[in-house]
Amino acid sequence: MLKPRLIEEKMLILLRQGKISKWFSGIGQEAISVGVTMAMQKDEYILPMHRNLGVFTTREIPLYRLFSQWQGKANGFTKGRDRSFHFGTQDYKIVGMISHLGPQLGVADGIALASKLKSLNQVTAVFTGEGGTSEGDFHEALNVASVWQLPVMFCVENNGYGLSTPTREQYNCEHIADRGLGYGMESHIIDGNNAIDVYTKVSQIADSVRENPRPVLLEFKTFRMRGHEEASGTKYVPQDLMDAWAKKDPIENFQAFLRDTNVLSEREEVAIKEAIVHEINEHLQMAFDEETILPIESVELNDVYKPFDYQDFEINSKVEEVRLIDAISQSLRQSMEQHEDLVIMGQDIAEYGGVFKITDGFVEQFGNERVRNTPICESAIVEAGMGLSIAGMKAVVEMQFADFVSSGFNPIVNYLAKSHYRWNQHADVVVRMPCGAGVAAGPFHSQTNEAWFTKTPGLKVIYPAFPYDAKGLLATAINDPNPILFFEHKALYRSIRQEVPVDYYTLPFGKASVLREGESVTIISYGAAVHWALETLEKNPDIQADLIDLRSLQPLDTETIYNSVRKTGRVIILQEDSLFGGIASDISAQIMENCFEDLDAPVKRVASMETPIPFINQLEEQYLAKGRFENALRELLAY
């Protein structure tokens, strides 16, 4: 406990000197971080917060690496890309937080699920503050952990204030531990300033959870003696409250106890402090002496995604005609056979087989452990997928409808997408996205929301239009260790048929498919809109067009696009999504920047109306770009 305290005191001096940028103090809460970590085994994961320096020091991370992290040096854990405690390290089984706080609770669920599936008899500990318990992720994570009986210790440091907001304005119950009853979960209240209480009680609970896997909610009563971060101060805290908690300082009280019981002499105490101060100064100098990071563009770009060596599986000559939905189901089933560590999760996907019956029969073959029905909690399930990846497994998460991904948006764009870039932790998660209009499903079941994700560095976005492509690309998506949004158009599920190889095969990302070749115009599209373009060309055999099915939106096959545009001199981009901010706009801009001198006409975009997607057929038909494409194509050719 003394080491993190002395480090903090030094950091506060460096902060005032401008040698570090920010500091979140855990002074007064060391007994929790240290006691919980000492109760854990070295190979068990801990997910700390920014006030848990004692976790890092108790796991014996070299101090110079921590100092380098806080100074944005290369010997830190994020290569200068993230600050303070926003990092993790597999070497010490620590998983870093993000500023949104809540997502790490669901990630702990995923790590614990992996432990349970592998019968490791391990417990996972995850920290949050009392303010974080108001987030939806907290409730989702505890609910999932309880339903699945996952070995997680949810450690809530109740330190009185969420920044400046006191607990009476955060929740309306006497104790956070009382909430355990609502989740069917065991809970305990522990004096977070009593080192012996923390260590002994958490040790007993951890041993029990290893033997009998289940989640436990632990509320540690403590107090934050400094500001949320140093700039915010503590003026909002009554002085008598500060004085009362100062008397409960965990280090001073434990020191007094050790002296009174003749365990610690004054000479030993001085020696301990001198050794720690020497270590701090020595390692600080190492961090100060380290060169500053030089920005190299290629290094930054190359670290956004985990390198993936695509493996081409030979396509068997035996084929059968199947629907798009059958091809997806086959690919998912064969991938489950290929990867014994693959878990699929989603609402109603087990015995029911999913609302579209894609996983029908999977439970009989793979069992409920790997084919998991989930509560209605998209955030927690995406986060659990991330946790499985951290623990060395693979996850496929089914959104019942792509529209519902908005409820899991934060962990996708802020956790999965950024983890490899931030601290070299890949997110081996595929999110399946049944999407699209044309089925009279209305504003909440019909969106094609791919542009939400093509905008986000770190995500790959795949959108096949044919059974052959869907089967091969989904297999590749599951092999790829990066987070992938895999869009499946519902209107194509049972309407499109194609001969598809029976056996397992893969197709590479970033390779568009040229469906038609011609000299007059380049048509670029993806998803259901590809079929609208095909229908238009069938009706107008006089139009000689290159028809490009992108298949992969991120990465994007710009080479095929540019080569076609340079040949035809005219290009029209057709998408089902509404126009503004859609991927057609970016492709148009790229063509203008790279092929301007080859163009004989302005790039034309055709998209759906700037409204939500209506329900009734005649309104939906008016909304969709399909009815406007032919005229737009003719106008372009006549330019």
Side-chain angles (χ1 to χ4, degrees):
M1 288 193 294
L2 195 56
K3 181 180 280 192
R5 174 69 63 89
L6 293 175
I7 291 172
E8 284 217 45
E9 290 174 352
K10 187 69 174 182
M11 291 304 110
L12 294 175
I13 294 172
L14 295 181
L15 181 69
R16 290 191 289 272
Q17 294 175 345
K19 294 180 179 179
I20 58 173
S21 64
K22 206 171 187 68
W23 190 257
F24 297 89
S25 178
I27 288 177
Q29 299 180 204
E30 294 91 348
I32 303 170
S33 299
V34 173
V36 170
T37 307
M38 290 182 67
M40 301 284 287
Q41 297 170 355
K42 292 286 188 182
D43 57 352
E44 293 177 326
Y45 283 93
I46 303 177
L47 293 82
M49 295 281 283
H50 46 272
R51 244 173 281 288
N52 296 121
L53 174 57
V55 171
F56 299 87
T57 55
T58 305
R59 279 278 162 101
E60 299 181 342
I61 292 179
L63 296 190
Y64 77 90
R65 295 205 64 189
L66 293 177
F67 299 151
S68 292
Q69 168 67 23
W70 301 331
Q71 293 180 41
K73 300 286 187 73
N75 273 329
F77 295 89
T78 64
K79 302 181 183 179
R81 295 166 183 163
D82 214 337
R83 64 185 186 180
S84 62
F85 294 94
H86 291 215
F87 71 91
T89 163
Q90 285 281 10
D91 291 340
Y92 298 92
K93 293 295 184 286
I94 291 175
V95 177
M97 60 171 288
I98 68 171
S99 292
H100 300 68
L101 307 181
Q104 67 185 41
L105 296 156
V107 173
D109 282 353
I111 295 172
L113 174 59
S115 171
K116 189 172 182 179
L117 293 176
K118 296 176 182 179
S119 301
L120 297 179
N121 301 115
Q122 292 178 335
V123 62
T124 300
V126 58
F127 285 85
T128 192
E130 84 291 329
T133 67
S134 296
E135 292 194 303
D137 296 81
F138 173 83
H139 303 279
E140 290 191 16
L142 266 67
N143 188 52
V144 169
S146 182
V147 170
W148 290 354
Q149 286 295 284
L150 300 176
V152 184
M153 293 191 301
F154 293 99
C155 303
V156 180
E157 295 178 298
N158 190 344
N159 60 26
Y161 288 86
L163 208 157
S164 69
T165 306
T167 54
R168 66 179 179 275
E169 296 177 26
Q170 291 278 0
Y171 54 85
N172 192 26
C173 55
E174 186 176 358
H175 305 291
I176 289 172
D178 295 340
R179 297 179 180 179
L181 184 63
Y183 300 111
M185 183 183 299
E186 175 186 337
S187 65
H188 301 267
I189 296 173
I190 299 174
D191 180 355
N193 284 33
N194 187 316
I196 294 176
D197 271 5
V198 173
Y199 173 70
T200 56
K201 290 180 180 178
V202 174
S203 294
Q204 293 166 0
I205 293 165
D207 285 341
S208 175
V209 171
R210 293 182 192 109
E211 184 176 333
N212 175 27
R214 67 193 187 282
V216 180
L217 175 60
L218 304 178
E219 180 182 4
F220 296 94
K221 301 288 191 180
T222 185
F223 195 75
R224 172 161 52 77
M225 296 301 294
R226 301 191 69 86
H228 168 72
E229 39 81 33
E230 285 305 304
S232 63
T234 58
K235 289 183 178 179
Y236 48 84
V237 182
Q239 187 59 47
D240 58 345
L241 192 60
M242 293 287 289
D243 295 341
W245 278 97
K247 296 175 183 177
K248 300 179 181 180
D249 184 286
I251 293 178
E252 290 184 5
N253 287 331
F254 193 49
Q255 282 176 326
F257 169 77
L258 294 175
R259 292 191 199 106
D260 292 345
T261 53
N262 297 318
V263 173
L264 182 68
S265 68
E266 184 175 347
R267 179 182 296 179
E268 289 170 324
E269 186 178 331
V270 170
I272 291 170
K273 288 183 178 178
E274 286 180 347
I276 293 172
V277 169
H278 177 74
E279 182 184 4
I280 291 171
N281 291 334
E282 179 184 2
H283 283 247
L284 260 178
Q285 194 59 51
M286 293 169 64
F288 287 143
D289 291 343
E290 189 181 345
E291 294 292 327
T292 58
I293 290 176
L294 295 177
I296 302 173
E297 185 175 339
S298 60
V299 171
E300 296 302 291
L301 292 172
N302 288 338
D303 279 354
V304 174
Y305 297 96
K306 180 179 173 66
F308 170 51
D309 294 325
Y310 168 74
Q311 184 178 0
D312 189 27
F313 285 81
E314 293 293 329
I315 296 175
N316 191 290
S317 59
K318 183 180 179 183
V319 297
E320 63 177 359
E321 186 176 87
V322 298
R323 303 167 299 176
L324 180 73
I325 195 168
D326 303 320
I328 292 169
S329 182
Q330 285 179 15
S331 184
L332 192 56
R333 186 185 296 272
Q334 290 171 356
S335 292
M336 291 285 281
E337 294 167 347
Q338 287 276 331
H339 304 284
E340 293 184 356
D341 60 351
L342 172 61
V343 176
I344 57 176
M345 301 180 286
Q347 296 160 26
D348 305 298
I349 67 165
E351 288 79 5
Y352 190 69
V355 293
F356 300 106
K357 301 303 178 185
I358 285 176
T359 53
D360 193 22
F362 277 39
V363 167
E364 288 77 6
Q365 182 174 354
F366 303 109
N368 289 102
E369 295 295 291
R370 295 182 62 201
V371 184
R372 305 187 75 89
N373 276 339
T374 71
I376 301 175
C377 47
E378 285 80 5
S379 272
I381 299 308
V382 170
E383 292 154 14
M386 181 72 211
L388 286 171
S389 179
I390 288 170
M393 300 183 71
K394 289 179 173 287
V396 171
V397 175
E398 178 186 298
M399 292 292 153
Q400 198 164 73
F401 294 89
D403 313 66
F404 298 166
V405 77
S406 55
S407 293
F409 190 75
N410 178 37
I412 292 175
V413 301
N414 282 314
Y415 208 122
L416 272 63
K418 298 176 182 177
S419 286
H420 189 265
Y421 175 75
R422 287 173 55 243
W423 59 282
N424 202 38
Q425 173 57 57
H426 66 278
D428 201 341
V429 182
V430 176
V431 183
R432 289 185 43 242
M433 301 277 284
C435 65
V439 292
F444 302 117
H445 297 78
S446 306
Q447 294 178 84
T448 51
N449 45 15
E450 65 279 355
W452 294 359
F453 305 102
T454 52
K455 165 78 177 121
T456 305
L459 300 177
K460 296 185 180 182
V461 182
I462 309 300
Y463 202 148
F466 294 93
Y468 172 81
D469 294 335
K471 182 173 179 179
L473 290 169
L474 181 56
T476 301
I478 293 169
N479 291 339
D480 193 319
N482 294 286
I484 294 163
L485 281 296
F486 193 88
F487 284 82
E488 307 164 7
H489 202 289
K490 304 188 302 295
L492 303 182
Y493 269 158
R494 292 176 170 83
S495 64
I496 301 300
R497 290 179 167 272
Q498 191 180 33
E499 286 194 341
V500 173
V502 172
D503 293 336
Y504 179 86
Y505 66 94
T506 57
L507 292 173
F509 289 170
K511 298 290 184 182
S513 176
V514 181
L515 303 178
R516 297 284 181 91
E517 294 191 40
E519 304 294 326
S520 302
V521 63
T522 297
I523 303 171
I524 302 170
S525 193
Y526 58 94
V530 170
H531 298 278
W532 305 343
L534 283 169
E535 291 174 22
T536 301
L537 293 177
E538 291 289 340
K539 287 171 55 182
N540 297 273
D542 59 310
I543 299 177
Q544 300 302 304
D546 270 4
L547 175 55
I548 299 174
D549 174 9
L550 294 174
R551 304 192 296 186
S552 171
L553 306 184
Q554 179 58 265
L556 184 67
D557 185 359
T558 53
E559 182 181 1
T560 295
I561 292 171
Y562 297 160
N563 286 341
S564 176
V565 173
R566 289 170 182 139
K567 179 180 72 170
T568 67
R570 284 177 166 81
V571 57
I572 186 168
I573 309 165
L574 174 63
Q575 69 182 30
E576 181 176 334
D577 194 10
S578 52
L579 186 62
F580 189 82
I583 193 169
S585 300
D586 268 288
I587 295 173
S588 173
Q590 290 184 52
I591 291 170
M592 293 294 287
E593 290 170 1
N594 292 278
C595 305
F596 180 76
E597 294 180 353
D598 300 290
L599 291 171
D600 297 322
V603 176
K604 197 166 192 65
R605 298 170 296 151
V606 183
S608 297
M609 289 173 58
E610 298 291 329
T611 70
I613 305 173
F615 152 62
I616 198 69
N617 285 338
Q618 59 270 32
L619 293 179
E620 187 179 51
E621 289 172 7
Q622 175 184 256
Y623 163 85
L624 289 171
K626 180 178 182 180
R628 292 184 288 280
F629 177 65
E630 184 174 349
N631 286 341
L633 179 59
R634 286 288 183 188
E635 289 174 3
L636 177 64
L637 290 168
Y639 181 86

